[in-house]
Amino acid sequence: MNTFAFRRQPRWRTATAVLALVAAVGAAGLAVSRCAGPKRPDQIAATPAAPAPPLPPPQAPEGWRGEIDYRALDARIQAMMADRTMQGLAIAVVENGRLSFVRGYGRTAPQDGEPVRPETIFRWASLSKTVAGTLSARLAQDGVLSLTDPLGKFGTSLRLPGDAQLTLTVEELLSQRTGLPKNAYDGWLEGGRDPKLIRESLAAVAPQCPPGVCHSYQNIAYDTIREVVETATQRSYADEARQRLFLPLGMTSTTMGMEGLQAAKHWARPSRGGHAATLVDAYYRVPAAAGVNSNILDLARWMEAQMGLAPAVLPAGVLAEIQRPRVNTSRPYGNSPFGRSLERPGYGLGMRSFTYKGHRLVGHSGAVTGYRSTMMFDPAAKTGVVMLWNSEGSLPFKLQAEVFDLAYREPFTDWLQLKSGDGSIIAP
């Protein structure tokens, strides 16, 4: 897939400006300590350097910075939050490699919730798959495993028709090419069954296509990568992610599991249709597929690292492996106008990619009961948006297009299709 140039010329043209940008990124908390990768599992433990103290996030209008019209964006978000499908939302925009806009909207719960702030913890849901793909690519760079290793090498619990798990590669697993039907046996997981036992039962499922050929989105099978990582490193998946990724990137609020969410001082409760929803642990039991929690600032740091702004932690070669599409997919946002606007959808290592109005975008989204999440960015322009919200509304997914239209200086399109009381369009 081609990488398209950002339509606006970058503002940094001199070596001095480049150095200033690097300094700003460091101050934003993206520690670029070198995590040298050992070859043997017994050499894996590494002590990351303490990240630089972050600058105060640009939460108020006087702190918003960049060429995007953030006051117009703020007005659109406030109008969106009036929709009955919304409860609370946190958003951050990185523009030209700099955190430029951060704000919380709404409340953490339908009754007696506190205002959402940048420090509020939400669930990432399936956005967690980007961690699994990134961690695997980093381990491959360090020589701990190979992306071409067959799963049979690791003795996982996954069983596929015809014993295909013996030859299915790590890369094929991470790019969702198991050959299984979409979301195979997710209902069993939601019903309380052990994910390991479910994986062992997948051998009896009629395949959608031969392994390694087509894209078919999975959660339980995808979590097999957790077993691969733990066998290869002799450490827990959560510890590996924390030591190799989260701590070096300064992602101090990021945890895995329900306990990590509930232990936070400020966390958003799940909601549905304006009412409180039950917090369930089903998808926490497949942590590589959907187990991560954080605030919006940490998710912004994660996006910055995926943009290439933390090369000591995620070098360019690792990012290329993660983001390179291995297989074409259907439209993840359906056949809506927004869904159709994202052309040439593909899937890499736990990372989606699209073409939007001639620009290559990369990211992922997530959905579990009472929560939604999304990350989408232009790696060439180093501009993107992340959002976390505690409801099942779909409007923030569409808001992504409005953010990029502002960034690309495109004419206004009412992707949200918001209407005022008199039926007129609510425009920025």
Side-chain angles (χ1 to χ4, degrees):
M1 183 170 289
N2 294 328
T3 300
F4 294 89
F6 192 45
R7 290 185 181 177
R8 285 185 286 118
Q9 293 298 318
R11 290 174 290 175
W12 298 283
R13 296 183 179 276
T14 67
T16 301
V18 171
L19 290 173
L21 173 60
V22 171
V25 170
L30 277 177
V32 293
S33 58
R34 183 168 301 279
C35 294
K39 298 292 183 179
R40 300 195 310 270
D42 62 349
Q43 294 178 315
I44 284 174
T47 302
L55 292 172
Q59 303 178 56
E62 57 270 20
W64 299 339
R65 47 198 179 227
E67 298 182 23
I68 291 174
D69 186 346
Y70 290 108
R71 292 180 184 273
L73 177 61
D74 176 60
R76 289 293 282 172
I77 298 170
Q78 293 195 48
M80 179 184 76
M81 293 304 298
D83 189 89
R84 61 183 179 82
T85 65
M86 298 303 300
Q87 176 58 47
L89 175 137
I91 179 174
V93 177
V94 173
E95 182 185 345
N96 288 331
R98 182 173 66 173
L99 183 63
S100 299
F101 175 82
V102 178
R103 195 162 188 194
Y105 299 83
R107 306 189 76 82
T108 58
Q111 291 84 33
D112 302 322
E114 62 184 14
V116 171
R117 300 180 291 184
E119 297 79 19
T120 303
I121 306 296
F122 292 81
R123 296 182 68 173
W124 283 23
S126 283
L127 184 49
S128 305
K129 292 180 174 71
T130 65
V131 174
T134 300
L135 178 59
S136 300
R138 176 62 197 266
L139 290 170
Q141 184 209 42
D142 293 346
V144 178
L145 54 80
S146 171
L147 296 175
T148 59
D149 280 339
L151 298 188
K153 177 179 178 179
F154 302 97
T156 71
S157 62
L158 180 65
R159 297 294 180 270
L160 295 174
D163 277 337
Q165 77 280 352
L166 298 176
T167 56
L168 190 80
T169 67
V170 172
E171 176 189 12
E172 289 168 339
L173 173 68
L174 290 169
S175 55
Q176 302 278 22
R177 289 182 285 165
T178 60
L180 294 168
K182 181 180 179 182
N183 296 97
Y185 286 164
D186 276 5
W188 285 13
L189 181 70
E190 294 167 5
R193 298 198 191 188
D194 186 327
K196 181 177 178 180
L197 298 179
I198 299 174
R199 280 193 285 271
E200 293 173 349
S201 302
L202 291 171
V205 177
Q208 175 175 304
C209 65
V213 175
C214 70
H215 176 268
S216 59
Y217 193 83
Q218 304 297 316
N219 288 302
I220 303 161
Y222 192 90
D223 188 57
T224 304
I225 193 61
R226 171 170 55 99
E227 298 180 356
V228 170
V229 169
E230 292 177 347
T231 298
T233 66
Q234 296 299 299
R235 299 198 335 164
S236 75
Y237 176 81
D239 283 347
E240 279 298 311
R242 183 181 305 110
Q243 294 298 324
R244 288 188 180 272
L245 300 174
F246 301 151
L247 292 182
L249 293 174
M251 296 171 61
T252 56
S253 82
T254 307
T255 60
M256 286 192 188
M258 182 181 286
E259 296 80 7
L261 178 73
Q262 293 179 309
K265 184 177 181 180
H266 305 284
W267 62 281
R269 274 60 173 174
S271 73
R272 175 187 291 162
H275 302 283
T278 301
L279 178 64
V280 293
D281 73 343
Y283 289 95
Y284 276 131
R285 290 185 285 116
V286 286
V292 179
N293 318 297
S294 87
N295 62 32
I296 197 66
L297 297 170
D298 274 12
L299 183 52
R301 291 187 180 99
W302 182 246
M303 180 170 67
E304 289 173 327
Q306 295 290 337
M307 290 175 173
L309 299 178
V313 182
L314 295 182
V318 171
L319 295 178
E321 285 285 4
I322 299 163
Q323 298 172 16
R324 176 171 63 86
R326 269 51 171 208
V327 61
N328 296 330
T329 76
S330 60
R331 296 188 179 108
Y333 297 107
N335 202 36
S336 65
F338 170 59
R340 292 195 302 272
S341 74
L342 299 174
E343 301 174 333
R344 300 170 64 189
Y347 208 91
L349 302 185
M351 191 76 76
R352 295 188 182 275
S353 59
F354 314 92
T355 299
Y356 177 72
K357 296 185 178 180
H359 303 267
R360 180 174 180 258
L361 302 181
V362 178
H364 210 288
S365 59
V368 292
T369 300
Y371 296 93
R372 297 291 186 267
S373 65
T374 195
M375 171 181 75
M376 192 176 289
F377 63 94
D378 180 332
K382 293 181 172 41
T383 293
V385 58
V386 287
M387 286 180 279
L388 297 166
W389 62 107
N390 61 328
S391 70
E392 299 181 2
S394 62
L395 287 173
F397 294 126
K398 301 174 184 178
L399 182 69
Q400 294 174 112
E402 298 203 9
V403 172
F404 285 104
D405 283 349
L406 287 168
Y408 297 144
R409 298 293 189 269
E410 294 284 344
F412 172 70
T413 298
D414 183 21
W415 292 107
L416 294 178
Q417 297 182 316
L418 298 174
K419 306 292 183 182
S420 66
D422 60 6
S424 60
I425 295 174
I426 301 175

Short mmCIF file of all heavy atoms in Angstrom, two decimals, residues 30 110 137 201 224 274 394 412:
data_model
loop_
_atom_site.label_atom_id
_atom_site.label_comp_id
_atom_site.label_asym_id
_atom_site.label_seq_id
_atom_site.Cartn_x
_atom_site.Cartn_y
_atom_site.Cartn_z
N LEU A 30 7.76 10.44 25.98
CA LEU A 30 8.12 9.28 25.17
C LEU A 30 9.60 8.98 25.40
O LEU A 30 10.45 9.43 24.63
CB LEU A 30 7.85 9.56 23.69
CG LEU A 30 6.41 9.35 23.25
CD1 LEU A 30 6.26 9.74 21.80
CD2 LEU A 30 6.00 7.92 23.45
N PRO A 110 -23.68 7.04 34.36
CA PRO A 110 -24.96 7.71 34.17
C PRO A 110 -25.49 8.37 35.44
O PRO A 110 -26.10 9.43 35.38
CB PRO A 110 -25.89 6.58 33.70
CG PRO A 110 -24.98 5.56 33.11
CD PRO A 110 -23.72 5.63 33.92
N ALA A 137 6.35 -8.21 17.09
CA ALA A 137 7.33 -7.69 16.14
C ALA A 137 8.61 -7.26 16.86
O ALA A 137 9.72 -7.44 16.33
CB ALA A 137 6.74 -6.52 15.37
N SER A 201 -11.23 -26.63 21.16
CA SER A 201 -12.45 -27.09 20.47
C SER A 201 -12.56 -26.56 19.05
O SER A 201 -13.44 -27.00 18.30
CB SER A 201 -13.69 -26.65 21.26
OG SER A 201 -13.67 -27.16 22.57
N THR A 224 -4.06 -16.70 21.22
CA THR A 224 -3.00 -17.72 21.19
C THR A 224 -1.62 -17.06 21.22
O THR A 224 -0.66 -17.65 21.72
CB THR A 224 -3.13 -18.58 19.93
OG1 THR A 224 -4.44 -19.16 19.89
CG2 THR A 224 -2.10 -19.71 19.92
N GLY A 274 -27.77 5.13 27.97
CA GLY A 274 -28.03 6.05 29.06
C GLY A 274 -28.18 5.40 30.42
O GLY A 274 -28.44 6.09 31.41
N SER A 394 -21.83 4.94 18.26
CA SER A 394 -20.90 4.82 17.13
C SER A 394 -20.45 6.16 16.57
O SER A 394 -19.60 6.20 15.67
CB SER A 394 -21.56 4.01 16.01
OG SER A 394 -22.72 4.67 15.52
N PHE A 412 -15.99 21.09 4.74
CA PHE A 412 -16.75 20.42 5.79
C PHE A 412 -17.72 19.40 5.21
O PHE A 412 -18.47 19.68 4.28
CB PHE A 412 -17.52 21.44 6.62
CG PHE A 412 -18.47 20.82 7.60
CD1 PHE A 412 -17.99 20.14 8.71
CD2 PHE A 412 -19.85 20.89 7.41
CE1 PHE A 412 -18.87 19.55 9.62
CE2 PHE A 412 -20.74 20.32 8.31
CZ PHE A 412 -20.24 19.64 9.42
#
